Structures are given as structure tokens and as C-alpha cells.
Amino acid sequence: QVQLVESGGGSVQAGGSLRLSCAASFASYSTYYMGWFRQAPGKEREGVAAINSDGSTTYPYSVKDRFTVSQDNAKNTLYLQMNSLKPEDTAMYYCAASTVDYWSLWPLLTRGYNYWGQGTQVTVSS
């Protein structure tokens, strides 16, 4: 079983920054990659960052050069540094992990993950 707990959400003005954290606990099997997703009211959940166990990363165009995903393997913690935040970044943000190697297929799609956290709210005001 993999348990994921997000933290670090909050309210910030446009142009500001936030850093989200995801504390992960693992059982007997490890994850291949982890990611961050967000979901705004009335919209589908979308991937905003993913990182493989070898450190390679991928982002959608909407957040590239503003968001940075990183991981501290010693602490089993995943981070998402978000800079230059915009009102359209407002959403619930979720941490996710995959114990199946779908990295080449679906690193930024929900179908590529089998474990999810409960989410942390990010609100960006104009």
C-alpha cells in the first residue's frame, strides 16, 4: 500500500509562489514515478508535473517554466514549486504515484497512476 499526504496549499496573490509537499509511505513495492495533478471545480483532473525514479521530468505547456517538481528520496517526499502563479492555477492539487511503469505512455494522465493523496487547495487571487 502507498499512502500520500499533501501539504503546503493556501491562498496567494497572482505572481506569488507556493511550494507543495507530498509525504509518501511505501509498503513492500516501490513506485516507478510520481506526479502532481490539479482539479478545478467543474473541470477534469489534469497533470501538471511528473518525475520518474531516474529524475527525468515532464510538464504540460500551461505550467512549463513556472512549476518545478522534485523529490527527496531520503525523506520520501515529493515537492512542487509553483512560481508566477495565476488565477487560473486555482484548484485542488493532488499528489499521485504509480507502481506500474506507464511512464512512456501516461505520465500526465490520471490513468497512469494507481495511488492518490487527498489533495491540498491552492487559491490564487488577482
Side-chain angles (χ1 to χ4, degrees):
Q1 189 75 8
V2 177
Q3 293 183 330
L4 305 170
V5 179
E6 303 94 336
S7 62
S11 297
V12 65
Q13 288 193 330
S17 299
L18 280 175
R19 189 176 81 155
L20 306 183
S21 299
C22 172
S25 62
F26 305 102
S28 59
Y29 39 88
S30 61
T31 58
Y32 282 95
Y33 56 93
M34 297 184 71
W36 287 98
F37 287 74
R38 67 185 180 188
Q39 187 167 21
K43 294 188 177 181
E44 292 188 355
R45 192 170 295 190
E46 62 172 347
V48 296
I51 185 166
N52 203 347
S53 57
D54 64 3
S56 56
T57 59
T58 187
Y59 307 88
Y61 178 79
S62 59
V63 306
K64 194 171 178 62
D65 298 328
R66 298 192 299 123
F67 290 11
T68 303
V69 61
S70 60
Q71 57 190 5
D72 184 333
N73 292 327
K75 296 182 179 179
N76 278 348
T77 301
L78 183 73
Y79 301 100
L80 182 67
Q81 178 66 43
M82 304 185 294
N83 299 327
S84 302
L85 283 163
K86 305 175 182 180
E88 51 263 44
D89 294 319
T90 295
M92 185 71 79
Y93 281 72
Y94 298 90
C95 171
S98 178
T99 57
V100 184
D101 192 7
Y102 289 136
W103 177 258
S104 64
L105 294 173
W106 307 312
L108 292 176
L109 297 181
T110 57
R111 69 181 68 180
Y113 294 82
N114 51 350
Y115 289 97
W116 294 86
Q118 293 300 308
T120 185
Q121 178 68 37
V122 172
T123 303
V124 184
S125 58
S126 58

